[in-house]
Amino acid sequence: MTFDLEKIVRPKIFNLEPYRCARDDFTEGILLDANENAYGPTQHGMEQSVLHRYPDPHQLQFKTAIAEYRNRSSTFTADECTRPLTSGNICLGVGSDESIDAIIRATCVPAREKILVLPPTYSMYSVCAKINDVEVVTCPLITEDNSFQMDSDKVLDILNNDQEIKLLFITSPGNPTGAQIETARIEKVLQNWDRGLVVVDEAYVDFCGGSTAPLVTKYQNLVTLQTLSKSFGLAGIRLGMTFASEDLARILNAMKAPYNISAVTSDYALKAVQHHNLELMEQNAALMNKEKIRLLDALTQINCVDDHYVGGLDANFILIRINKGDNELAKKIYLNLATKCGVVIRFRGTELGCAGCLRVTVGTPKENNVLIQQFKEIIEELTK
Ligand SMILES: Cc1ncc(COP(=O)(O)O)c(C=O)c1O
């Protein structure tokens, strides 16, 4: 394997000089360099805030804290990773959705190059690819055995026979499948394909552990995406993290808008990675995992719900199947729950291998009790 980042990143991007401002060199004193409004925000009650200043473009404190956390909670031994993650391995985005778009723009030449996705999967990869005029190739996950694992050999076959594919997107744990992709399968692809990047989207990883992020110091062709939207409960602040080799992280940082992470986001994000809040995040994830099993047990006992979940239980949601794949009834349940009971779940029956499937996010115990009760009543009504 001879990985050459210069051949993977678009030439204009590879040589991009990042935007620089005076604040990169001086952050204190009488700041008259950035055309801000020194009179402060006009809103009443905000006189003491610093929101009239541009935010920190580098976010080193947050990056260092999250890198250390991922090192600490790594399931890989020191010799499996070449060295620990540092802030230099990270680029931050406005949610992982911005990170997905950035990695496509960094690597794929519009109207010529392609990405590979593994359905059923998160739809934003295809949406971003289409917006960027990048073709989407697909290779289904293994659905026959309900594992929803990646078929590494098939994936490698496609990747090694199509020179135009620059990115492989793996969702792990999957959405809507909830199944974490086995690391050995990911490493097999990493070790046998060097013409592009393997992007592992780990939006839900804190519900199962085993993040691949520490491996970016070992594999230059690995990119791991994470977010504060799920386990950290901060979807509203929009913060996504891209872990990559230092060379690639540098390029992604050069590409991003300098002030993409707002001061408000930065404030919340820094609090989220304080030691006691990380502990709280882990406790909450454990609680949701427990509640997930209770919810699953209750729902699968209901008439018309298949007794085994679909995919895995590695995220903060479950995927259940109605009557061995009855899309008509599943859709009716979904619509009735929303319109008659004000309980909104997601119909996923048109996704590959998910006929008759409903995806249910784990709520609070009280919310779950309402859902379980209403679910029973709606099914009774629809099937009488
Ligand atoms: C697999 C996956 N990746 C990324 C995201 C988006 O994350 P963010 O809120 O950070 O944009 C989601 C949201 O549902 C998701 O399911």
Side-chain angles (χ1 to χ4, degrees), residues 93-100 121-125 170-176 201-204 225-230 234-236 238-241 317 359:
V94 180
S96 325
D97 286 345
E98 189 185 51
S99 313
I100 292 164
T121 190
Y122 185 50
S123 58
M124 275 307 281
Y125 318 131
I170 300 171
T171 322
S172 178
N175 178 5
D201 181 346
E202 295 187 345
Y204 302 96
L225 305 181
Q226 292 178 359
T227 176
L228 295 192
S229 295
K230 311 294 178 181
L234 287 170
R238 313 300 303 127
L239 192 96
M241 299 153 268
F317 54 81
R359 194 191 70 194

Side-chain angles (χ1 to χ4, degrees), residues 13 22 29 45 57 75 80-81 102 110 120 138 143 146-147 174 210 228 260 275 283 287 290 301 311 347 362 366:
I13 307 276
T75 50
E80 280 175 302
C81 315
T138 60
T143 55
N146 190 40
S147 69
L228 295 192
N260 64 333
H275 190 70
Q283 284 164 20
L287 273 180
K290 247 190 176 168
Q301 275 171 33
F347 172 68
V362 178
K366 212 165 143 194

